[in-house]
Amino acid sequence: MIAALTSWNYPPQNLTLDINEIHVWRVSLTQTESGLQTLAQTLSTDEQTKAEHFHFPKGRSQFIVSRGALRAILSRYLHINPSHLRFEYNPYGKPSLIAQSGDTLRFNLSHSHELGLIAITKNRDIGVDIERINPKFPCLEIAEKFFSPLENTVLRSLSAHLQNQAFFTCWTRKEAYIKAVGKGLSIPLDQFDVTLAPGEPAALLNIEQNPEEASRWSLIELIPSSDMVGAVAVAGDCWKLHCWQWTGEF
């Protein structure tokens, strides 16, 4: 049984982001042809080149929508044209904005199948992940390779009908954390523990190499749709979370 859906609301016209807030946007990656063209026009030259390298049209269009939506959403906070945004990337590929004045927006993007999530906050590291629950996925076999001993013990203790959801819950929480840190899979997934049991609050429990590090992070569960799970990891406390539905508008 999956948790209750996160409430995704339409944003106010005058959108603001306070220092202690996190905003998460749900984005439909299915757009009309005209909408796709409009978004493509806002992309940078390197983003357009990357889009052209996708072999299948679906992958190409989803890349355009996800990056175009990111630009459209960030531009609402910064009050500039989406095409004027410039990004730089750390050695592990995590993007950040170039040449911002004032409070620095931090963001992260994830997508799975037809939905994307964009998480935004100020002046602190953030990561987000979304996954569709695949009932035929060999979750115990994959968990044995990638999850920590504690996580595997908890997963195998659950009833068989709960293990699949618990696996993807665990996966999104771990991915959100390593994306927030900004080092990707260079951080071994089996070297830290997160909660995963149904009904258990999202939390980073322990980091093997640095036990005190876990207390620096907050994990938040998201339910983007009835067959998907998601998570946000953010440095510090989450004082207020808003979940918005992107309408495709600039």
Side-chain angles (χ1 to χ4, degrees):
M1 180 177 179
I2 199 164
L5 284 175
T6 302
S7 178
W8 302 90
N9 303 308
Y10 292 109
Q13 191 65 33
N14 297 318
L15 186 67
T16 60
L17 177 66
D18 292 335
I19 194 70
N20 295 316
E21 289 184 335
I22 297 170
H23 289 188
V24 180
W25 294 76
R26 184 175 66 176
V27 175
S28 171
L29 301 182
T30 302
Q31 298 289 324
T32 64
E33 188 60 35
S34 61
L36 190 65
Q37 292 177 2
T38 299
L39 291 170
Q41 291 171 0
T42 69
L43 301 187
S44 64
T45 301
D46 63 300
E47 287 171 328
Q48 292 175 353
T49 300
K50 188 171 182 178
E52 292 171 358
H53 287 166
F54 280 85
H55 182 71
F56 296 105
K58 184 176 181 179
R60 186 183 312 118
S61 64
Q62 289 186 344
F63 174 82
I64 292 171
V65 174
S66 62
R67 293 307 295 242
L70 174 65
R71 287 177 170 274
I73 290 168
L74 290 175
S75 71
R76 291 195 58 172
Y77 297 97
L78 298 171
H79 306 292
I80 63 175
N81 189 299
S83 63
H84 294 167
L85 294 172
R86 294 293 178 265
F87 301 101
E88 59 185 354
Y89 300 85
N90 77 2
Y92 300 92
K94 185 176 183 179
S96 59
L97 285 164
I98 296 176
Q100 267 193 90
S101 60
D103 294 326
T104 302
L105 289 184
R106 303 288 183 86
F107 63 90
N108 200 231
L109 167 67
S110 179
H111 61 83
S112 177
H113 296 271
E114 306 301 327
L115 280 182
L117 293 179
I118 296 171
I120 302 174
T121 191
K122 283 185 176 180
N123 295 339
R124 53 185 176 153
D125 293 324
I126 191 167
V128 67
D129 192 57
I130 179 176
E131 301 289 343
R132 187 171 73 173
I133 298 173
N134 179 356
K136 297 182 179 180
F137 193 78
C139 58
L140 294 181
E141 178 183 340
I142 301 302
E144 191 67 34
K145 295 180 180 179
F146 293 104
F147 288 0
S148 71
L150 173 63
E151 291 162 346
N152 272 288
T153 298
V154 174
L155 185 63
R156 292 179 182 277
S157 73
L158 299 175
S159 301
H161 71 284
L162 296 176
Q163 289 176 341
N164 196 262
Q165 179 188 336
F167 171 88
F168 286 99
T169 296
C170 184
W171 189 270
T172 58
R173 293 174 185 180
K174 294 173 86 68
E175 283 281 337
Y177 168 67
I178 65 173
K179 292 177 71 178
V181 174
K183 294 183 179 180
L185 289 173
S186 68
I187 301 175
L189 292 179
D190 62 356
Q191 298 299 301
F192 62 96
D193 306 314
V194 300
T195 56
L196 59 104
E200 192 175 12
L204 180 60
L205 297 175
N206 180 60
I207 299 173
E208 187 173 298
Q209 301 300 324
N210 188 0
E212 296 181 357
E213 175 74 1
S215 64
R216 293 186 54 248
W217 296 89
S218 296
L219 278 179
I220 307 158
E221 180 182 39
L222 299 168
I223 307 297
S225 72
S226 60
D227 63 345
M228 288 187 162
V229 291
V232 170
V234 64
D237 296 324
C238 173
W239 289 8
K240 183 177 272 189
L241 171 70
H242 290 289
C243 294
W244 306 123
Q245 175 66 44
W246 185 61
T247 61
E249 297 178 355
F250 289 86

